[in-house]
Each structure stands twice: as structure tokens, then as C-alpha cells.
């Protein structure tokens, strides 16, 4: 009977039947599928975080970068707009260094590397054009190094050199700047760009360089530097800086007395940007002769006797008149009649001329521009905070002495000058509280950070839930069934034999032995056998019936 039952489960050569092999293969396939699903969900939950490798690249550079990434086996993907290449976050820096070693991205500008592959036998015109293109590309790279400049384009107009001086022309340059969003260039930065281009091209004056931004604004137009009040941008900035400096000095000297954020100061300065030059020549009045320096002195003395005979050697020299005196200041003439020999009368005349130095003062004064013509300062001071014994803070107005002290300090800090018409006003008043900035509430689903963290958390949560369900609902029952002794054919036959024996034992036991421990064990085995293999139990019961009939 036992052999017959085993024939139902075993083939004639002792191997498992086809049904058993198929069942076992299905179980193994199910286990493999469950494991594969678990691995897929785990990898999906562990998807790497991608970061931007390069953005705003040209199509040519984009193709070269993608080809290099594929060669390096680095995974990549494009952003939603397609303007950026993304790679895993842990490989961003490594990929950039490797691509930089290959010269990527090259950019749209072509520099002097254009001349590296110069073909033999090219014409002079082609060489000149290539040189000009290379020079333009190098200048574009240099200007794009400025933080506010995103893209730069330069066009050089270099005339053909001539052997005649009258036919020589200076080159010109046009610069188009595409500035970054929210960035601007001041006049100093524009002047720096102009001088950079002018210094890089021979015989190019700075006046021949034109700078334009992406909005069509002419940045290098010198005629528009003058404002409505006749001041250029540099002078306006000078005035603003001076006013801010004076207000800052006044606030810094008063803040220790009244506390931070309890004082406000504003200054208004009138600056004289005119340049004054003055030359003066001053002559002092004549002083007393004895107190002045003598420049020259001339004395002349002559005598004439009445009735005296002419004497001397006649000639032109003796007939010349006496020289004219120059600016005589003191002239003394003495004429005296003296008795001469023989009783004749002699007339004597004496003239003295003295020239003195003239005092003269020459002054040359040059006043530089940028001097302060007039200065006005306004100061507002908050009420003084007072803390009582309970720690409560109240505010009181300033006393007259405190207000005068603040006024004196502010006058010293601003450099008050009454002669030039400076003024200062100090006002004590309670400051109004600054209204709190009310930010609009952004829903959680519209917050980019919350959405990103929510996606990551949801991905991990779904992965964990799926793994738990697959394990508890599929993998665990399959593993339990594979590890069950009933899945082994030999063990199944032994179980069937033991089940038959258990049935026989149960049927052959007397009523008194039904309560023994072995009975409960055999009964449980019979119930499990009847549940798993009802055909075998039916065969055993049929054999019993046939045997009892015989």
C-alpha cells in the first residue's frame, strides 16, 4: 500500500515528476522576480543627485562635452530647458577638471590658436584676416573676464597701411557688451574697457573706441557724460560720496550717546568744481630816502668865472651838454660866488642824482577744484531710553544741555565753518516704529525646497513600502514553501508513509490510548496530510474498506 502511494508522487526511476519540477521552477522564478523587483526599487530610491556641469554653452561645445562624457563613462542628462548639462553631484568637479584638460568648453571666441594650423602658401590677405580674427577673439575673452559682462563682441576696422603720411588713417573699434541680468557698468568700468581695447591695437586712440550694451545704449558717449547741472558722472559721484561721508561721521560721533539706530543724519554739500588761477603784482609806496636801498647815485659839479678867458682844448667833447637825469628824487644845487684870483667872480654849480630801489610783490595763486562752498547738515535724534527699577524701558525727550552737546559734536564732525555760511539743525523727536515686513505665505507645494525634499522623501517612503510588501506578501511565503519539508519528494513520500502509519495507528489504538501524547501528534499529522494530499488519504481509506470487505 505504501509503495502504491509513493508511485503517485515518484516516477519509476526514483526522480521527481514533471509536475513537481515545474512547481519548483515556478517557485524559484517567483523568488528571482521578487528579488529583481526589490533591487529595482532600491536602485530607484537611491537615484543620484544631479548638479549643473556647464550651462549657456554653444552647440559645438555641447556636442564635444557630451562626446567626452560618454568616453569617460560619466552619466549625464540635460535640464528641462536644455540649456545645462547635469552630472551626478559627486562627479561634477572631477568631470570639469578632465574636460578642462581637453580644452573644453572652448567657447565661441577664437583666439590666437587660429594661427596654429596656418596652411602653407596662404595669401597675405588671408593671414591679415586671420590675425584680425584672432586679435578680436583674444580681446573678447579678456573683456568677458569682467564680472558684469556675460558675452562680448568686438569688431576692429584696421585700415591698410600707406607709405604716405597724409593718407594714413587710425583704426577704429566697436564693442558690444551683453551684460548679466541686473548688472550695469559705471563710467570707470566703461573707460577701462575702452583703454583695454585701445592699448591692444596699435595706433588706436581711445576716442575711436565705441562701447554699446545689449539694449543699444551708447556707453562710451562722452557728450552724455554732462548732466543737467553741467556735472559729469565722476563729479556727481564725488559729491554723493562726500555727503555720505559727512553724514556717516556725524552719526558715528553721536551714536555712543543715544544708542544705535537712534540717530539719523543727512548732509548737503555745495562743491565748487571751477579752477581759479590769480596773478598779482603789487608796488609799495615810496619810503623815506634814508630807509630805502640806493640803486645808483650821480653827482655833477661845474664852475663859471665872469670875465675869465676861455681855456681848454676846443673840440666836440667839451661842447656836449650834460646828460639827462633819470627820475631824480633828490637834487641839490649850490651856487656860490667866490672871489677868484685877480678879483674875478666865479659861479659854482653842483648837482647830485640818487636812484632808489622800488619795492614790488608778485603773487600767483591757483585754487584746485572740488572745494566746499557751503555745507548743510540735518540731524534727527530719537528720545533717550530710560529703564526703571522693574526693567521697563521708557523714552524721554532730550534736555537742553544734551541737545546742545549733540549740536556741538555734530558741528565738529562736519567741519562747521561760519564764514562760508554752513548750517546745522538738530531735532529731537520720537522715532516711528518700522513696519514689519509682511511676506506672503507661500504654500508648501509651491516652495521649491519643500517640493524637492518632498520628492526625495516620497521616493524613499515608496521604496520602503514596496520592499516591505513584496517581502511579506511574496518573498516570505515562497521562502517558507521552499524550505518546507513537504516540498522535497523523498521527504514527501516519508511523510505520506508516516501519515499512513499514523492513520493506522490512530485506527488501531484502543479507546484508552486516545489521550496519549503520540495520539495528538499523529492526529495533527493526519490532518495536515489530508489537507495537502487528499488523494493519498482517499486511497488509504479505500484500501481499508477493501480489506475489511475481504
Amino acid at each position: 500500500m505504501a509503495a502504491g502511494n509513493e508511485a503517485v508522487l515518484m516516477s519509476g526511476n526514483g526522480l521527481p515528476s514533471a509536475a513537481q519540477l515545474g512547481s519548483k521552477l515556478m517557485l524559484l522564478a517567483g523568488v528571482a522576480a521578487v528579488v529583481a523587483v526589490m533591487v529595482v526599487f532600491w536602485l530607484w530610491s537611491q537615484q543620484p543627485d544631479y548638479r549643473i556641469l556647464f550651462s549657456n554653452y554653444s552647440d559645438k561645445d555641447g556636442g564635444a562635452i557630451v562626446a567626452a562624457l560618454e568616453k569617460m563613462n560619466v552619466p549625464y542628462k540635460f535640464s528641462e530647458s536644455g540649456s545645462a548639462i547635469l552630472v551626478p553631484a559627486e562627479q561634477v568637479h572631477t568631470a570639469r577638471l578632465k574636460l578642462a584638460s581637453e580644452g573644453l568648453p572652448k567657447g565661441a571666441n577664437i583666439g590666437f590658436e587660429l594661427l596654429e594650423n596656418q596652411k602653407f602658401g596662404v595669401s597675405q590677405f588671408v593671414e591679415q584676416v586671420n590675425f584680425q580674427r584672432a586679435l578680436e577673439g583674444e580681446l573678447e575673452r579678456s573683456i568677458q573676464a569682467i564680472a558684469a559682462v556675460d558675452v562680448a563682441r568686438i569688431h576692429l576696422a584696421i585700415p591698410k597701411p600707406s607709405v604716405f603720411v597724409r593718407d594714413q588713417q587710425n583704426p577704429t573699434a566697436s564693442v558690444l557688451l551683453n551684460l548679466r541680468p541686473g548688472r550695469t557698468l559705471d563710467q570707470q568700468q566703461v573707460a577701462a574697457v575702452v583703454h583695454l581695447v585701445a592699448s591692444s591695437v596699435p595706433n588706436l586712440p581711445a576716442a575711436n573706441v565705441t562701447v554699446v550694451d545689449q539694449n543699444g545704449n551708447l556707453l562710451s558717449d562722452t557728450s552724455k557724460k554732462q548732466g543737467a547741472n553741467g556735472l559729469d558722472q565722476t563729479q556727481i559721484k564725488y559729491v554723493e560720496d562726500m555727503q555720505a561721508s559727512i553724514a556717516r561721521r556725524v552719526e558715528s560721533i553721536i551714536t555712543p550717546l543715544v544708542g544705535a539706530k537712534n540717530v539719523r543724519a543727512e548732509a548737503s554739500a555745495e562743491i565748487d568744481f571751477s579752477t581759479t588761477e590769480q596773478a598779482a603784482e603789487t608796488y609799495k609806496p615810496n619810503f623815506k630816502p634814508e630807509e630805502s636801498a640806493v640803486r645808483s647815485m650821480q653827482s655833477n659839479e661845474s664852475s663859471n668865472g665872469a670875465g675869465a678867458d676861455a681855456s681848454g682844448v676846443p673840440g666836440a667833447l667839451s661842447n656836449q651838454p650834460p646828460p639827462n637825469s633819470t627820475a631824480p628824487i633828490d637834487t641839490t644845487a649850490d651856487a656860490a660866488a667866490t672871489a677868484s684870483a685877480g678879483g674875478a667872480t666865479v659861479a659854482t654849480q653842483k648837482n647830485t642824482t640818487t636812484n632808489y630801489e622800488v619795492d614790488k610783490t608778485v603773487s600767483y595763486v591757483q585754487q584746485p577744484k572740488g572745494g566746499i562752498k557751503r555745507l548743510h547738515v540735518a540731524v534727527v535724534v530719537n528720545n533717550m531710553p530710560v529703564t526703571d527699577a522693574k526693567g521697563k524701558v521708557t523714552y524721554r525727550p532730550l534736555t537742553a544741555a544734551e541737545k546742545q552737546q549733540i549740536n556741538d559734536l555734530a558741528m565738529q564732525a562736519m567741519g562747521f565753518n561760519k564764514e562760508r555760511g554752513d548750517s546745522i539743525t538738530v531735532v529731537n523727536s520720537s522715532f516711528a516704529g518700522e513696519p514689519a515686513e509682511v511676506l506672503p505665505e507661500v504654500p508648501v507645494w509651491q516652495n521649491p525646497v519643500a517640493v524637492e525634499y518632498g520628492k526625495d522623501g516620497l521616493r524613499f517612503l515608496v521604496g520602503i513600502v514596496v520592499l516591505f510588501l513584496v517581502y511579506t506578501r511574496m518573498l516570505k511565503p515562497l521562502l517558507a514553501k521552499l524550505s518546507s519539508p513537504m516540498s522535497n519528494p523523498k521527504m514527501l513520500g516519508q511523510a505520506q508513509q508516516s501519515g499512513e502509519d499514523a492513520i493506522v495507528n490512530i485506527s488501531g489504538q484502543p479507546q484508552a490510548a486516545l489521550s496519549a501524547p503520540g495520539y495528538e501528534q499523529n492526529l495533527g499529522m493526519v490532518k495536515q496530510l489530508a489537507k495537502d494530499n487528499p488523494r493519498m488519504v482517499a486511497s488509504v481509506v479505500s484500501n481499508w474498506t477493501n480489506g475489511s470487505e475481504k
Side-chain angles (χ1 to χ4, degrees):
M1 180 178 63
N5 295 332
E6 291 179 2
V8 177
L9 300 175
M10 302 288 293
S11 60
N13 54 6
L15 297 176
S17 63
Q20 293 175 352
L21 290 176
S23 177
K24 189 172 183 179
L25 290 176
M26 290 180 63
L27 290 176
L28 292 176
V31 172
V34 171
V35 172
V37 171
M38 294 175 64
V39 171
V40 169
F41 273 102
W42 175 256
L43 293 177
W44 175 75
S45 62
Q46 296 296 325
Q47 186 178 3
D49 187 16
Y50 279 80
R51 290 290 183 268
I52 296 177
L53 179 65
F54 292 111
S55 61
N56 297 326
Y57 48 84
S58 61
D59 295 339
K60 185 176 180 180
D61 285 342
I65 292 172
V66 169
L69 292 177
E70 291 178 350
K71 187 184 299 183
M72 293 186 297
N73 295 325
V74 176
Y76 67 90
K77 66 179 183 179
F78 296 96
S79 62
E80 296 180 358
S81 59
S83 61
I85 298 178
L86 310 178
V87 297
E90 63 275 5
Q91 299 184 11
V92 170
H93 303 291
T94 304
R96 285 180 180 173
L97 293 177
K98 290 182 179 180
L99 293 174
S101 64
E102 299 181 6
L104 295 175
K106 296 181 180 180
N109 303 329
I110 301 177
F112 283 113
E113 65 271 9
L114 180 63
L115 305 178
E116 295 178 356
N117 301 323
Q118 194 80 2
K119 296 181 180 180
F120 181 75
V122 297
S123 63
Q124 184 180 2
F125 175 77
V126 175
E127 290 182 351
Q128 183 64 26
V129 170
N130 289 338
F131 175 76
Q132 182 172 337
R133 289 179 58 195
L135 183 59
E136 291 174 353
E138 293 294 336
L139 288 174
E140 290 171 359
R141 291 177 180 177
S142 300
I143 295 176
Q144 287 177 183
I146 301 177
V149 178
D150 187 15
V151 179
R153 289 283 295 166
I154 296 180
H155 302 281
L156 299 178
I158 302 177
K160 186 177 180 180
S162 175
V163 295
F164 300 100
V165 177
R166 63 177 179 270
D167 295 336
Q168 291 182 356
Q169 297 179 359
N170 293 328
T172 58
S174 301
V175 182
L176 176 62
L177 302 179
N178 189 355
L179 304 179
R180 299 184 184 275
R183 305 294 295 272
T184 58
L185 293 179
D186 55 18
Q187 291 299 325
Q188 293 182 353
Q189 292 174 319
V190 174
V193 173
V194 170
H195 285 81
L196 174 64
V197 176
S199 302
S200 303
V201 181
N203 301 325
L204 175 60
N208 289 0
V209 180
T210 304
V211 182
V212 183
D213 63 2
Q214 73 272 21
N215 297 323
N217 298 323
L218 185 58
L219 303 180
S220 60
D221 187 7
T222 57
S223 62
K224 292 185 178 180
K225 291 183 180 179
Q226 298 291 334
N229 52 2
L231 303 179
D232 59 18
Q233 298 297 328
T234 305
Q235 294 174 345
I236 294 176
K237 188 175 185 301
Y238 175 78
V239 174
E240 292 176 351
D241 293 343
M242 177 174 288
Q243 294 177 164
S245 177
I246 294 174
R248 187 167 53 252
R249 291 203 304 266
V250 173
E251 290 182 358
S252 63
I253 198 65
I254 301 177
T255 297
L257 299 179
V258 299
K261 298 182 179 181
N262 287 327
V263 58
R264 296 289 186 275
E266 290 293 337
S268 175
E270 298 180 13
I271 309 299
D272 184 10
F273 289 102
S274 61
T275 303
T276 304
E277 297 182 1
Q278 181 180 2
E281 186 174 352
T282 305
Y283 293 90
K284 293 182 179 180
N286 292 332
F287 293 97
K288 296 181 180 180
E290 61 273 10
E291 296 179 358
S292 302
V294 177
R295 180 178 183 182
S296 62
M297 179 180 291
Q298 182 179 3
S299 298
N300 185 16
E301 183 178 355
S302 62
S303 60
N304 185 11
D309 296 334
S311 62
V313 178
L317 182 62
S318 61
N319 295 329
Q320 291 180 354
N324 296 326
S325 60
T326 58
I329 297 178
D330 185 11
T331 303
T332 304
D334 295 332
T338 58
S340 62
T345 303
V346 179
T348 303
Q349 185 177 2
K350 184 178 181 182
N351 297 325
T352 302
T353 302
T354 304
N355 295 326
Y356 297 95
E357 292 288 350
V358 179
D359 293 336
K360 180 178 66 174
T361 302
V362 179
S363 61
Y364 183 80
V365 180
Q366 181 179 7
Q367 296 180 356
K369 60 181 179 180
I372 300 177
K373 295 173 58 178
R374 194 172 291 104
L375 190 61
H376 308 280
V377 176
V379 183
V380 180
V381 183
N382 191 16
N383 292 335
M384 294 291 292
V386 178
T387 305
D388 56 9
K390 297 182 179 180
K392 185 178 179 180
V393 179
T394 58
Y395 293 87
R396 64 169 180 82
L398 296 176
T399 61
E402 293 173 342
K403 191 173 181 180
Q404 183 62 36
Q405 183 182 17
I406 292 175
N407 185 79
D408 296 340
L409 290 176
M411 291 175 62
Q412 295 295 328
M414 64 176 284
F416 183 83
N417 188 349
K418 185 178 180 180
E419 295 179 356
R420 68 186 180 194
D422 294 351
S423 64
I424 182 172
T425 303
V426 178
V427 176
N428 173 223
S429 178
S430 177
F431 283 7
E434 297 181 358
E437 184 179 2
V438 179
L439 298 177
E441 295 184 0
V442 179
V444 178
W445 57 86
Q446 294 182 0
N447 191 345
V449 178
V451 170
E452 189 67 23
Y453 281 108
K455 289 181 179 179
D456 295 338
L458 182 61
R459 184 172 58 192
F460 281 104
L461 181 61
V462 170
I464 292 174
V465 171
V466 170
L467 291 178
F468 178 76
L469 293 177
V470 168
Y471 176 76
T472 55
R473 298 298 180 87
M474 299 177 63
L475 184 59
K476 187 175 180 180
L478 290 176
L479 293 176
K481 186 172 292 187
L482 287 177
S483 61
S484 176
M486 301 303 295
S487 61
N488 193 337
K490 294 183 178 180
M491 296 179 64
L492 183 59
Q494 294 177 2
Q496 292 173 349
Q497 181 62 35
S498 61
E500 293 179 0
D501 296 341
I503 294 173
V504 173
N505 292 335
I506 291 174
S507 60
Q509 290 293 333
Q511 187 70 25
L514 293 179
S515 60
Y519 173 79
E520 296 292 338
Q521 183 179 359
N522 292 335
L523 181 61
M525 187 178 296
V526 170
K527 291 180 178 180
Q528 185 65 30
L529 183 61
K531 185 182 298 183
D532 295 338
N533 197 348
R535 182 179 299 178
M536 187 267 293
V537 175
S539 178
V540 171
V541 173
S542 177
N543 292 335
W544 286 351
T545 305
N546 295 333
S548 62
E549 292 178 354
K550 293 179 180 179

